[in-house]
Amino acid sequence: CGTLFESRQWNIRRGFRRYLQVCGKKRALQAPTVTKQALARLDYLKERGQPYFLWVHYFDPHAPYHNHKDLDLGDETIDFYDEEIQYTDREMAPLLEALLEPEEVDNPELGPPLVERKTYVFLGADHGENFGTHGDSPHARNLYREVTNVPFIVLGPDLVARHIKDPVALGDLFPTIHELAGLGFAEDTTMVSQVPVLFGADPDEDRLVFQENSFSRPRRHAKAVLGRGHHLIMDITNGTAEYYDLEEDPTEQNNIYGRGGAKEKELERILRSFIKTTTIPKGLRR
């Protein structure tokens, strides 16, 4: 679901063997349609007995928000947002249950008959939402944590539940999925496979995640670097910077740029080096 998936400009369908836009003009209460179509596709894929990659996109927790009377979490916009999340969570459940059911595959190419195949499920989001924490601009307009701190949840039959607070990139899905599937990935990618962490290894406490945004209104270009407990944001357009200690200030209300000491200087040096390697598409320079 999602109108942008019909856009030739974004070209999101590239690389998929089969690509279905299942909601059409439906703009609310979409989750049941997505689940129904995904379950049908999952049944087909399981019947084939071949390894598969299934990507499913739910769009209900996205503005404009629908007021779910049966949930009734309040009358504010943020309450409707929470209702959309709870609604989608409920309607997604049958798909998660089907994906996590043990699956036996009778396929000579995969080994002896009735081999149990492991299925891994990844849950993520492209952005969060700003409800007045930093001005009145909504999602995709800034790099603060309420927008960029999104879920990265992995479910699998041989994974033990853990909660990792260290930063990872959503782009880490690429090498992680490839490694779990035994496909390998390009060694020069800046993304990091999280497979060792999934199976109990300690996260990389020195990992830095870079962020960019060129979609703010009015048009501005922002870059950021996020490390364990620290977040440095630089607005390239107006030449300003913000630095936050996430341990002391998790909602990023107190900009301490210029008072962050050696860690701030280190991150600024690294971020400025990163900025030199990036370019702004010509169409976004306005």
Side-chain angles (χ1 to χ4, degrees):
C1 267
T3 54
L4 70 91
F5 299 114
E6 300 169 351
S7 168
R8 292 185 178 274
Q9 176 183 355
W10 291 99
N11 197 22
I12 295 175
R13 67 176 59 231
R14 182 181 60 188
F16 285 97
R17 182 170 297 166
R18 185 168 176 80
Y19 184 94
L20 303 174
Q21 166 62 289
V22 299
C23 288
K25 297 184 180 302
K26 190 177 178 66
R27 293 294 178 260
L29 304 175
Q30 299 172 338
T33 300
V34 179
T35 295
K36 179 181 178 180
Q37 295 286 343
L39 284 171
R41 195 66 191 164
L42 181 62
D43 286 343
Y44 168 77
L45 292 169
K46 286 184 175 182
E47 288 176 2
R48 290 182 68 235
Q50 298 287 333
Y52 61 85
F53 173 76
L54 175 66
W55 178 62
V56 182
H57 186 271
Y58 289 85
F59 204 61
D60 289 272
H62 193 288
Y65 309 116
H66 182 73
N67 182 8
H68 295 268
K69 299 294 186 182
D70 58 326
L71 298 174
D72 192 22
L73 299 180
D75 297 323
E76 302 294 329
T77 303
I78 193 171
D79 299 322
F80 299 156
Y81 175 66
D82 290 338
E83 289 177 11
E84 292 278 42
I85 294 173
Q86 189 168 328
Y87 169 77
T88 303
D89 184 59
R90 181 183 69 196
E91 297 299 329
M92 187 192 302
L95 176 59
L96 289 177
E97 291 171 358
L99 285 167
L100 295 174
E101 286 177 356
E103 181 183 354
E104 292 185 338
V105 180
D106 189 359
N107 188 324
E109 295 181 6
L110 300 179
L114 296 180
V115 173
E116 183 173 330
R117 181 167 60 203
K118 297 176 183 178
T119 299
Y120 294 96
V121 180
F122 299 82
L123 295 172
D126 57 341
H127 60 74
E129 196 70 83
N130 174 41
F131 289 97
T133 306
H134 292 94
D136 58 2
S137 60
H139 66 264
R141 301 293 186 265
N142 64 58
L143 296 176
Y144 298 109
R145 293 187 76 236
E146 65 265 20
V147 171
T148 59
N149 187 32
V150 298
F152 189 123
I153 302 171
V154 188
L155 307 172
D158 48 0
L159 301 181
V160 178
R162 301 176 71 193
H163 181 199
I164 304 297
K165 294 184 178 181
D166 293 272
V168 297
L170 198 60
D172 290 345
L173 280 170
F174 150 60
T176 301
I177 292 174
H178 270 234
E179 184 171 350
L180 284 173
L183 299 175
F185 53 90
E187 294 182 358
D188 59 350
T189 178
T190 59
M191 298 296 101
V192 178
S193 170
Q194 296 299 322
V195 168
V197 179
L198 294 181
F199 288 95
D202 292 331
D204 180 4
E205 63 181 35
D206 297 322
R207 174 76 187 281
L208 297 177
V209 174
F210 295 97
Q211 303 166 325
E212 299 181 275
N213 177 27
S214 294
F215 287 89
S216 55
R217 304 290 190 276
R219 179 74 72 204
R220 294 205 318 273
H221 304 290
K223 314 279 184 177
V225 60
L226 176 72
R228 176 185 275 192
H230 304 276
H231 196 191
L232 175 65
I233 305 172
M234 301 188 72
D235 190 313
I236 309 303
T237 302
N238 62 24
T240 61
E242 300 170 63
Y243 181 70
Y244 298 99
D245 183 334
L246 301 180
E247 296 293 336
E248 299 292 331
D249 181 23
T251 60
E252 300 181 322
Q253 297 299 301
N254 183 25
N255 177 15
I256 59 171
Y257 180 75
R259 294 174 283 139
K263 188 63 178 180
E264 176 193 308
K265 290 183 173 60
E266 177 191 6
L267 290 180
E268 182 167 355
R269 175 184 57 79
I270 292 172
L271 182 56
R272 289 190 182 279
S273 296
F274 167 76
I275 291 171
K276 293 178 181 178
T277 70
T278 64
T279 59
I280 300 171
K282 291 181 180 180
L284 292 178
R285 291 185 181 277
R286 297 187 299 277

